[in-house]
Amino acid sequence: MKKKKILIFIDWFLPGYKAGGPIQSISNFVNHFGTVFDISIVTSNKDLGATKPYDGIESNVWVVKDNYRVKYLDKKHLNISNYRFLLKEDFYDSVYFNSLFSVYFTLLPLWFAVKYNMRIVLAPRGMLGSGALKIKKRKKQLALWLIKISGVPNKIIWQGTASTEILEIKKYFGEKIQVKMAPNLSAKIPEFLVNKQKEAATLNLFFLSRISEKKNLIGALNYLKEVKKCYQINFSIIGPIGELGYWNECELLINKLPKHITVNYLGAIPNLELPEVLKKQQVLLLPTFNENFGHVILEAFQAGCPVILSNQTPWQDLEKKKIGYDIDLDKPLDFTLAIEFFAKINEEDYQKWSLNAFNFALEFCNNKEIVNANRDLFN
């Protein structure tokens, strides 16, 4: 049987890693379906924030990999004539977009895909969440209005990765549009959990995400500031600096933290190296303003790390499952109390939470219904 051909547009892709979740989403998609579908990926020839192209990779030509092919575009090829060529040079059963507001990897190619009556699947990747829309609010409101009046939303299939995202999509584009539920695919998980050592009254806490307003590192630092002096907190910040001005504000707060809170900025870490780094970490702190999925949250669970999250993610009722806390952003004291709880417990009690987190990830990653839902987006 002939494989269905899928053309994927995404702003950044492997070997890039600084854009985080979307790269992981498509990497996992390729790992699951590279032998099922004939996959072609169009992306930029630089990582997020980089000024130079990837070393050793030719731009503007198809680069053939084991289970897919990819074309890395330079700035000169981000134009109308090239998008027209890309969408007409071959027949594709579906075109898959992984952003809502990207000019060069959604809006321009989407216009041609609609014009050519192609089958289109679009994943907003959390961009319609209330927290995400507050950032650059006016520009996004204008873009949403233009998209809506164009009639495009009624001509495509929307991917909702959680029930909350489906509600967000319908809120802005109407109840009659076609939305399919397909949670993000996960990476492969190791079969066994490596136990972590944990001393009472100490905690290896970490923030794992792009450093930007949306991810709310400033909130995390303010919660740490209120932790009692009897607890030693070693706080590691992992992720690329997405907004330099925001990071400067974070540094001012870091310099004012009390002595029992130590902070170490580890920078951006490639995804393949992350499991080794997380072996030394114990709890994730991510008070994000919005996540439609949050690959870093699942990666924390996979590493046996319970989490302290805002309630603006699909990961809910965590305390009942004994895998973490999901907390209202209007209750900053509750974040501090959650940090103190994990700092206080001894190794034996911590291991119970750690094992629960790992088993939760194991069950999620082996969920065949999620794989089938993603396959059905293109059937």
Side-chain angles (χ1 to χ4, degrees):
M1 185 176 177
K2 189 177 178 181
K3 293 181 184 179
K4 289 190 174 183
K5 289 188 174 185
I6 300 174
L7 177 62
I8 299 174
F9 284 88
I10 183 170
D11 289 77
W12 302 280
F13 191 60
L14 301 175
Y17 60 92
K18 293 181 180 179
I23 294 176
Q24 197 61 34
S25 293
I26 297 306
S27 175
N28 294 342
F29 182 88
V30 169
N31 288 338
H32 278 87
F33 298 123
T35 58
V36 177
F37 299 129
D38 186 345
I39 298 173
S40 301
I41 300 172
V42 177
T43 188
S44 57
N45 70 341
K46 303 182 188 73
D47 201 357
L48 174 65
T51 56
K52 295 182 180 179
Y54 299 116
D55 289 335
I57 296 178
E58 189 175 356
S59 298
N60 312 311
V61 298
W62 287 113
V63 178
V64 179
K65 304 288 186 177
D66 288 341
N67 290 325
Y68 65 99
R69 64 175 185 166
V70 56
K71 184 176 284 192
Y72 298 93
L73 300 182
D74 62 18
K75 193 172 182 179
K76 292 180 180 178
H77 285 75
L78 302 177
N79 58 59
I80 290 174
S81 61
N82 191 46
Y83 290 125
R84 187 187 292 118
F85 172 76
L86 281 168
L87 291 164
K88 296 292 280 186
E89 70 169 330
D90 202 346
F91 170 81
Y92 295 101
D93 294 280
S94 297
V95 186
Y96 188 20
F97 295 100
N98 289 271
S99 172
L100 183 58
F101 298 118
S102 171
V103 173
Y104 296 116
F105 292 94
T106 297
L107 299 178
L108 282 176
L110 174 62
W111 189 85
F112 285 103
V114 170
K115 181 180 178 182
Y116 299 149
N117 294 315
M118 302 177 80
R119 188 178 187 278
I120 300 164
V121 179
L122 193 151
R125 301 291 176 208
M127 293 182 180
L128 289 171
S130 58
L133 289 174
K134 287 178 183 176
I135 301 165
K136 299 180 181 178
K137 184 176 180 179
R138 290 184 179 179
K139 287 184 178 180
K140 290 179 179 178
Q141 285 180 333
L142 176 60
L144 286 172
W145 179 75
L146 291 172
I147 292 169
K148 189 171 183 179
I149 65 168
S150 71
V152 168
N154 300 313
K155 300 176 182 178
I156 64 182
I157 298 160
W158 295 84
Q159 178 186 0
T161 56
S163 57
T164 51
E165 188 169 42
I166 289 177
L167 292 174
E168 290 164 358
I169 294 168
K170 290 186 175 182
K171 174 183 176 181
Y172 288 100
F173 300 116
E175 290 290 331
K176 294 182 180 180
I177 63 170
Q178 186 176 0
V179 187
K180 291 189 175 185
M181 166 75 94
N184 283 326
L185 295 159
S186 62
K188 292 182 179 179
I189 182 173
E191 293 183 15
F192 304 101
L193 172 64
V194 177
N195 287 339
K196 301 168 185 280
Q197 295 182 341
K198 165 78 170 66
E199 294 181 16
T202 68
L203 182 65
N204 292 343
L205 187 71
F206 68 103
F207 174 95
L208 173 59
S209 204
R210 185 168 175 243
I211 296 169
S212 63
E213 182 182 352
K214 177 186 170 187
K215 306 299 184 178
N216 197 22
L217 177 56
I218 284 177
L221 294 168
N222 282 322
Y223 309 144
L224 282 167
K225 183 175 64 176
E226 303 302 323
V227 170
K228 293 174 185 174
K229 292 181 180 179
C230 59
Y231 301 116
Q232 175 62 45
I233 310 295
N234 306 308
F235 187 48
S236 296
I237 300 171
I238 306 169
I241 297 171
E243 298 168 10
L244 184 57
Y246 185 84
W247 173 242
N248 291 337
E249 292 181 51
C250 292
E251 285 190 304
L252 291 174
L253 287 173
I254 290 169
N255 292 332
K256 294 178 182 178
L257 288 173
K259 292 182 180 179
H260 65 287
I261 311 292
T262 62
V263 179
N264 187 18
Y265 176 52
L266 303 182
I269 294 176
N271 196 262
L272 289 174
E273 299 174 18
L274 194 57
E276 190 63 31
V277 173
L278 295 188
K279 285 181 181 179
K280 299 176 183 178
Q281 301 298 329
Q282 294 164 342
V283 174
L284 169 69
L285 174 60
L286 186 66
T288 176
F289 286 116
N290 183 261
E291 298 294 326
N292 74 309
F293 182 75
H295 282 282
V296 298
I297 300 166
L298 184 57
E299 286 166 342
F301 289 143
Q302 289 174 333
C305 296
V307 301
I308 302 171
L309 310 175
S310 73
N311 62 358
Q312 299 301 305
T313 84
W315 310 94
Q316 302 285 318
D317 299 320
L318 304 182
E319 188 178 1
K320 290 180 182 177
K321 300 169 185 147
K322 299 287 185 183
I323 59 175
Y325 292 89
D326 47 287
I327 301 170
D328 193 319
L329 286 166
D330 291 331
K331 298 179 178 179
L333 178 59
D334 287 359
F335 282 93
T336 299
L337 292 173
I339 295 168
E340 292 179 343
F341 167 78
F342 283 117
K344 178 173 61 177
I345 60 177
N346 60 23
E347 184 171 328
E348 182 180 356
D349 290 333
Y350 171 78
Q351 295 296 355
K352 295 174 183 176
W353 286 78
S354 178
L355 183 59
N356 288 341
F358 177 80
N359 286 336
F360 176 81
L362 196 64
E363 183 178 354
F364 183 92
C365 294
N366 291 328
N367 189 333
K368 292 182 179 179
E369 290 182 4
I370 292 176
V371 176
N372 291 336
N374 276 270
R375 183 188 291 111
D376 288 345
L377 284 171
F378 303 95
N379 289 330

